[in-house]
Structure formats: C-alpha cells, structure tokens
Amino acid sequence: REAIADADLTVALDPGHGAGALTSPEFFRRLGCDVVTVNGQPDGHFPGRDPEPVPENLDDLGRLVRASDADVGVAHDGDADRAIFFDETGEYIEGDASLAALAAEALEPGDATVAAVNVSQRLVDVCDEVGADLELTPIGATNIITRIQELEAEGRRVPISGEGNGGIFFPDFRLVRDGAFIAAKFLELLAKTGDSPSEVVAPYTAYENVRRNLAYDEESELSAMLAAAEQYAEAADVEASTVDGYRLDYGDAWVLVRPSGTEPKVRIYAEARERERAVELADAVEEKLAAALDN
C-alpha cells in the first residue's frame, strides 16, 4: 500500500456499471491513488457498455486515460472478478501480456503456476526463463482452482495462476478472482519498478495469434475432425497435452485444437512470436481437419 501511495498514481477506472462501481473507486483511493471514472454508476442494465471487458467495449476508458492524463486504466467485468488494463497512452493491454508481467514478478525457481490449455506463449516463456513449472487444465476457472488446490496439497508454492481474460488468482491472498486486488498487484508492479504500463508489458507484446473455426453439422463430422487432430498430434515429434483437446508445444510456438463448448465448431488456435510461424502451424492443422471433414 505504501509503495502505491508513494507512486502518486492516477487511475482511470471503468467498472462498467457493475459490482466494481460500488467498491473499486474507494479501494483505489484508499491505496493513495487519484481516481477518475467512467460508467461508474451501478446499473444492472449496463447502459454505458457491455460488461465484457474486451477492446471494442472500452473506447470510453481509452479516451478517459488520455483526457485525464492518467497513469493507467483499469476495466472490470460485470461482477468485478477480472481486471483489464490500458497503458498511459490510452492503449488496450492484452490480458495475456499483463498476466505474463505479473507472473514474471511473482514466480521464483521451483514454483508452479496453473493456466488453461489455451494459455499464451507469453506465460510459457516466463516460466522457462524463471524456472517455474506450468500446469495446464481444461478451460474454466474451476479447473484452475482445483489444480491449484492439488498442487498446494503436495506442498508446491503457487503464487499466481490465471487466464488471459483478466482473471488472475493470487492463492497466497485467497483462492478467488478479485478484480480490484488484481489491479492493485499491477499498480504495485508499476510502483516497484517505476515503469509505465507500456514499459512493464513491453517484453510480452511481440506475439502473434491466429484463430480458425471449422463448422460442422453432424456429430460424425466432429468425430472425424477430432480423430484427425489425434492422428496429427501422435505424428508430431513435440510435447502434446490432451487435457482439453490437443495442444502441441513446439518451444517457440504452439497450436491447439478443441471443440467449442458453445457452438458446433472446432477451434484452432496458434501462437508464436512471428506471425508467419503461427499461420504455418494453423494452416497445417486446418488442412488435416478440413480433409477429414470433406471425407
């Protein structure tokens, strides 16, 4: 708290008319920050924006950061258990980048961290650099919580875990997501380093993501595509995870194939530092799945 107060930060806050409108402004003021808000009145109809804190819903926050000359922008979702950040220029910071920056600060050699199977290469690289273990779970916060509890029961230290959607756990604090606390940890990182938000996340911004969707009509088509994905994974000479679909980690990049939980689609994700590499991986998998679908 003292470090944050001494940093004399101005926080631009967009709680999106949700639960955070009742708590986060006062919370940040008690930390010693100046606070300016937009969409700050609690209203379950969410008149100012959709509660999901994605770039297309947060134009007001970017403008507020610039107009108020704020040091950082913070956005919550409806129930305020997540935090997404804007840098000092009013630019959106990807959740995967802020997670990686916070993990690099929290993790020590021998620690473990837990993330869903679609975790960014950013966190993979942080764990490799620090010497920490990365545990993958099926997508969903409850799966992450369960694995954290298992690791802690084994005596493992798990100081941070989470997803790139702004939902981050700090198990030493408590095993729930708390958007205000997540934001406070980011403010603490700014205060400790003396860096701006753009500088803090700079090592984790040069990554390229490619996503593809293959729709199907019949369950037999889904089965054919998943069988093709399994064959592709078995033939690949790389580490593979099957906790939720098929994820192949190549060290410098990864590709994931998994059925959507909400739509009749099979999703393909690929990520690398170079876009050409990510496209190459996505193309190769899509070609195999499309052939299985056609047949």
Side-chain angles (χ1 to χ4, degrees):
R1 176 178 177 179
E2 291 77 12
I4 295 173
D6 289 344
D8 192 26
L9 299 171
T10 297
V11 176
L13 172 67
D14 181 355
H17 301 290
L22 296 169
T23 56
S24 286
E26 179 63 18
F27 177 75
F28 295 131
R29 291 188 180 103
R30 292 193 183 193
L31 289 176
C33 302
D34 291 327
V35 182
V36 292
T37 64
V38 64
N39 301 318
Q41 296 299 317
D43 188 331
H45 296 289
F46 304 104
R49 68 165 172 89
D50 186 282
E52 185 65 18
V54 293
E56 55 267 30
N57 295 334
L58 299 175
D59 289 343
D60 287 345
L61 180 57
R63 284 191 288 267
L64 179 61
V65 170
R66 292 187 288 271
S68 62
D69 197 27
D71 296 290
V72 61
V74 178
H76 292 315
D77 57 334
D79 60 357
D81 70 343
R82 291 184 279 152
I84 286 290
F85 303 101
F86 275 60
D87 71 16
E88 70 283 1
T89 70
E91 291 297 314
Y92 177 87
I93 295 175
E94 291 185 72
D96 286 312
S98 54
L99 171 59
L102 289 166
E105 172 66 19
L107 291 170
E108 297 178 359
D111 286 346
T113 186
V114 183
V117 71
N118 61 345
V119 65
S120 171
Q121 184 70 24
R122 298 165 172 84
L123 188 57
V124 174
D125 289 347
V126 166
C127 290
D128 287 344
E129 292 166 6
V130 171
D133 295 326
L134 174 59
E135 299 271 340
L136 299 182
T137 72
I139 291 173
T142 56
N143 296 311
I144 293 175
I145 292 171
T146 298
R147 187 58 183 145
I148 292 171
Q149 292 172 323
E150 292 171 349
L151 288 167
E152 290 184 331
E154 296 169 7
R156 299 296 303 278
R157 181 174 181 263
V158 189
I160 187 171
S161 295
E163 299 176 281
N165 62 2
I168 303 175
F169 298 91
F170 293 91
D172 291 340
F173 172 64
R174 57 181 176 174
L175 200 49
V176 297
R177 304 191 307 193
D178 182 329
F181 187 79
I182 295 165
K185 295 297 286 185
F186 194 76
L187 297 180
E188 182 182 48
L189 181 57
L190 298 179
K192 288 176 65 174
T193 61
D195 292 335
S196 65
S198 62
E199 291 169 331
V200 162
V201 301
Y204 315 108
T205 56
Y207 291 78
E208 296 288 341
N209 292 277
V210 174
R211 295 188 180 187
R212 308 278 173 77
N213 293 307
L214 292 174
Y216 61 89
D217 297 316
E218 306 291 339
E219 286 298 314
S220 59
E221 295 174 326
L222 171 61
S223 297
M225 285 193 285
L226 294 181
E230 181 178 10
Q231 294 169 2
Y232 189 88
E234 290 174 349
D237 188 24
V238 296
E239 181 181 352
S241 170
T242 57
V243 298
D244 187 358
Y246 301 90
R247 175 178 168 127
L248 305 179
D249 280 291
Y250 293 85
D252 67 323
W254 59 271
V255 62
L256 168 67
V257 178
R258 66 181 296 274
S260 168
T262 57
E263 300 177 280
K265 294 178 180 179
V266 171
R267 305 197 189 281
I268 300 170
Y269 309 77
E271 186 183 35
R273 284 185 176 269
E274 297 79 28
R275 183 163 188 81
E276 182 179 357
R277 175 72 165 141
V279 170
E280 173 190 26
L281 291 173
D283 283 348
V285 174
E286 183 178 22
E287 180 180 345
K288 295 294 184 183
L289 269 61
L293 184 61
D294 290 341
N295 290 333

